[in-house]
Amino acid sequence: MSRVLFSIRYEIVAEQRDEFLRIIRELKNLVKAEGLEQYSVFEHKKKPNHFEELFLFESKEAYEEYDDFSDERVEILMNQLSGMIKQQSTNYSTLYEVENN
């Protein structure tokens, strides 16, 4: 089974940076699901307030089932984050790992 790397890149409103970082710290402790190997958030080195969230799933099935994951607190935090992201700055990417055969 090949792993899946899902990423979300975006820019946040600079004035909301402190609140954004507080929410991200909490999310990093809460985002867990069957088949989710890792959840990380990175900031671009040369572009302040540009972030990327990375989700590493153990399989395509785990990735596809992640939409079914439901946690009320995570949903609340994700909704708060969405209000901090600059319009039209979001890019999504889904990568499938090349397997050794």
Side-chain angles (χ1 to χ4, degrees):
M1 278 190 261
S2 60
R3 295 186 303 171
V4 177
L5 179 62
F6 176 69
S7 70
I8 308 169
R9 288 185 307 273
Y10 49 81
E11 180 181 3
I12 63 162
V13 176
E15 295 77 25
Q16 295 181 313
R17 179 184 176 85
D18 290 340
E19 181 66 6
F20 171 83
L21 293 173
R22 184 196 65 74
I23 290 171
I24 286 296
R25 286 184 190 102
E26 185 175 351
L27 273 175
K28 289 181 79 172
N29 291 320
L30 295 175
V31 174
K32 294 173 179 43
E34 184 72 31
L36 178 62
E37 292 182 359
Q38 184 176 347
Y39 169 70
S40 302
V41 181
F42 296 87
E43 183 173 13
H44 194 285
K45 179 181 177 181
K46 295 182 180 181
K47 294 181 182 178
N49 302 316
H50 286 74
F51 292 89
E52 185 163 0
E53 294 180 58
L54 299 173
F55 298 78
L56 180 60
F57 295 92
E58 67 183 19
S59 66
K60 290 179 186 179
E61 292 78 17
Y63 166 69
E64 291 168 358
E65 291 173 6
Y66 186 70
D67 283 341
D68 297 335
F69 170 74
S70 180
D71 179 289
E72 186 176 337
R73 182 64 182 154
V74 170
E75 288 181 27
I76 289 168
L77 294 172
M78 291 291 201
N79 285 334
Q80 289 176 348
L81 282 182
S82 66
M84 299 176 182
I85 296 172
K86 286 191 172 183
Q87 294 290 322
Q88 300 181 342
S89 72
T90 305
N91 292 299
Y92 299 91
S93 170
T94 305
L95 305 173
Y96 295 99
E97 184 175 37
V98 176
E99 294 185 56
N100 293 337
N101 288 334

